[in-house]
């Protein structure tokens, strides 16, 4: 991967629907070599796909909560059981196995606080091996380019 590939990735990361002609112009290539590079980046897995960024509130997921989950035991079977169960929960949009005070850090999106209370009590706390859940309700999300 060279600097031109990195430039292509940087542009696509911010403008995933850009035309090949515009992308080529921005990175200083003609369209054909640019398209070949993009296809190679896709084939090698550097580009894993293209997505639309959806406003969570527009689809009934206006509350974002980060939940730190500690497991009772760390035996492989317990970890596998928890992971298989947590990825089936549609409210969990990201699940990270982490070091520190928790074993997992989950990003949960639901409609509102009562919906999270229901999710926490009736789904999350009942997953295999869960010893403790600590919840952090998001007040504001800051991302590059959204200031």
């Amino acid at each position: 991967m060279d600097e031109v590939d990195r430039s292509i990735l940087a542009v696509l990361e911010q403008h995933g629907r850009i035309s090949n002609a515009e992308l080529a112009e921005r990175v200083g290539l003609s369209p054909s070599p640019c398209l070949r590079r993009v296809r190679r980046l896709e084939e090698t897995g550097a580009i894993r796909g293209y997505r639309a960024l959806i406003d969570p509130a527009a689809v009934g997921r206006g509350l974002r909560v980060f939940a730190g989950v500690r497991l009772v035991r760390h035996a492989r079977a317990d970890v596998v059981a928890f992971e298989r169960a947590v990825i089936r929960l549609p409210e969990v949009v990201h699940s990270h196995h982490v070091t520190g005070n928790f074993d997992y850090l989950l990003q949960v999106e639901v409609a509102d606080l009562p919906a999270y209370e229901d999710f926490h009590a009736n789904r999350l706390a009942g997953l295999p091996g869960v010893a403790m859940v600590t919840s952090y309700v998001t007040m504001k999300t800051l991302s590059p380019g959204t200031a």
Side-chain angles (χ1 to χ4, degrees), residues 3 9 17 19 36 42 47 57 60 63 73 76 88 91 101 110 114 131 136:
E3 286 304 312
L9 294 174
R17 293 183 56 150
S19 71
R36 280 195 299 273
E42 291 169 344
I47 297 174
L63 182 69
R73 298 179 334 136
R76 190 71 197 140
R88 290 189 180 107
E91 299 89 348
N101 291 330
V110 292
Y136 301 92

Side-chain angles (χ1 to χ4, degrees), residues 52-133:
L53 295 175
I54 308 299
D55 177 2
V59 292
R61 292 174 169 246
L63 182 69
R64 178 175 292 147
V65 178
F66 289 93
V69 177
R70 189 174 298 152
L71 299 182
V72 174
R73 298 179 334 136
H74 296 97
R76 190 71 197 140
D78 296 326
V79 169
V80 168
F82 173 79
E83 289 179 354
R84 284 186 179 154
V86 77
I87 63 171
R88 290 189 180 107
L89 300 175
E91 299 89 348
V92 177
V93 295
H94 296 289
S95 178
H96 304 276
H97 192 190
V98 298
T99 62
N101 291 330
F102 306 110
D103 298 309
Y104 290 86
L105 184 62
L106 312 179
Q107 180 179 328
V108 179
E109 293 179 354
V110 292
D112 51 27
L113 199 52
Y116 181 72
E117 181 182 15
D118 179 67
F119 169 78
H120 181 285
N122 297 313
R123 304 193 64 198
L124 182 57
L127 290 182
V130 171
M132 184 184 83
V133 177

Side-chain angles (χ1 to χ4, degrees), residues 9-25:
L9 294 174
V11 172
L12 287 175
E13 201 168 32
Q14 295 300 311
H15 309 283
R17 293 183 56 150
I18 192 171
S19 71
N20 182 61
E22 176 68 20
L23 176 60
E25 184 177 320

